[in-house]
Amino acid sequence: MAADFDLTAKVAIVTGGNGGIGFGIARGLANAGAAIVIAARDPEKNARAVAALQQTGAEVLSVSTDVRDEASVQAMVSAAARAFGHVDILVNNAGINIRKAPQDYTLDDWQEVLNTNLTGVFLCSRAVYPFMINAGRGKIINIGSMTSVFGSNVSPAYAATKGGVVQFTKSLAIFWAKDHIQVNAILPGWIHTDLTTAASSERYQFIRSRIPHGRWGEPDELAGAAVFLASRASDYVTGIALPVDGGYTSM
């Protein structure tokens, strides 16, 4: 059974993999045997992530990538293929949030969130598709959110894009099932990351009181779900949106 979760000789691209949830997932995939491509915008932060993963013995490459930019995404996938010869797993994790009331959004605000959180998922998925076709199989894991399930009273653009991520996941799963490419989503709950540090102490405690597990999650706690969805253990699983949230969305 353990062999079903073994990612030895697999190559995984993790967008936004230089910190937070992305790094937690990248570390989990590396621990399962995968070579990792950290794809994110900040070269210095990328380098720190690479160094940390290399200390575990993992093969790691970093590529400065802007998922909003088609040429940058194509360069990311090409660099991964040149370095490792193939691409087996894509984790679409890169995301941003702008917290404003909808009436206060500028069009630029809206498009920045949309282009990163949703268009980026499209561009990266489309870019890896030929490599997965050549390999005869592939795994794509899109990172959604609890707001993929319900709305947000602080982040309307973020919620809209994360809802879109789940619907796009289901559509890709249907289109690419014949190509033996499984496409699934993970919906993280309240996780300690840079995106959630803005929560006030009062809001932090209120949120914690509503989590059945009684605490916020840690980035590494997304790794198990990611390894499952990246491995052959999930070969008959596609189009799902898996909450990893301490029970929050069950309330």
Side-chain angles (χ1 to χ4, degrees):
M1 182 64 71
D4 289 341
F5 297 88
D6 185 9
L7 299 180
T8 300
K10 300 297 185 182
V11 177
I13 298 173
V14 184
T15 69
N18 59 9
I21 288 170
F23 182 73
I25 288 174
R27 180 158 52 195
L29 298 177
N31 287 341
I36 304 298
V37 179
I38 298 291
R41 286 188 285 183
D42 186 336
E44 292 185 5
K45 197 173 177 183
N46 290 355
R48 290 194 295 270
V50 167
L53 292 177
Q54 285 175 334
Q55 288 179 355
T56 71
E59 289 187 88
V60 193
L61 170 72
S62 74
V63 184
S64 294
T65 305
D66 184 345
V67 300
R68 302 169 300 179
D69 182 82
E70 186 173 6
S72 181
V73 167
Q74 197 59 55
M76 168 194 78
V77 177
S78 296
R82 281 196 306 271
F84 298 112
H86 51 100
V87 177
D88 306 288
I89 301 158
L90 169 67
V91 181
N92 281 310
N93 169 75
I96 64 168
N97 193 3
I98 296 177
R99 295 176 175 86
K100 288 183 179 180
Q103 67 271 19
D104 296 329
Y105 267 81
T106 65
L107 182 57
D108 285 344
D109 290 336
W110 176 267
Q111 289 180 330
E112 184 177 1
V113 179
L114 179 68
N115 289 341
T116 303
N117 295 4
L118 188 54
T119 303
V121 173
F122 159 68
L123 289 175
C124 293
S125 300
R126 187 184 63 175
V128 300
Y129 178 72
F131 295 90
M132 292 183 175
I133 284 291
N134 287 341
R137 62 181 57 249
K139 303 280 187 174
I140 297 175
I141 303 168
N142 298 324
I143 305 304
S145 164
M146 295 175 295
T147 62
S148 300
V149 178
F150 48 73
S152 170
N153 64 350
V154 292
S155 304
Y158 182 85
T161 59
K162 291 303 185 177
V165 164
V166 168
Q167 295 307 315
F168 187 58
T169 296
K170 293 175 183 291
S171 296
L172 284 187
I174 295 166
F175 271 96
W176 292 351
K178 68 182 186 305
D179 302 314
H180 308 291
I181 299 170
Q182 289 81 51
V183 188
N184 294 289
I186 295 174
L187 311 185
W190 293 101
I191 308 294
H192 289 127
T193 70
D194 290 344
L195 283 181
T196 58
T197 54
S200 66
S201 176
E202 181 180 0
R203 180 168 173 77
Y204 180 94
Q205 296 300 334
F206 172 73
I207 290 167
R208 188 175 72 172
S209 72
R210 295 197 61 215
I211 301 171
H213 264 273
R215 63 175 178 83
W216 285 49
E218 301 299 332
D220 285 345
E221 293 182 288
L222 281 297
V227 169
F228 166 62
L229 293 175
S231 70
R232 69 187 189 190
S234 62
D235 280 354
Y236 200 58
V237 178
T238 198
I240 71 163
L242 176 62
V244 182
D245 63 3
Y248 192 90
T249 51
S250 296
M251 290 288 285

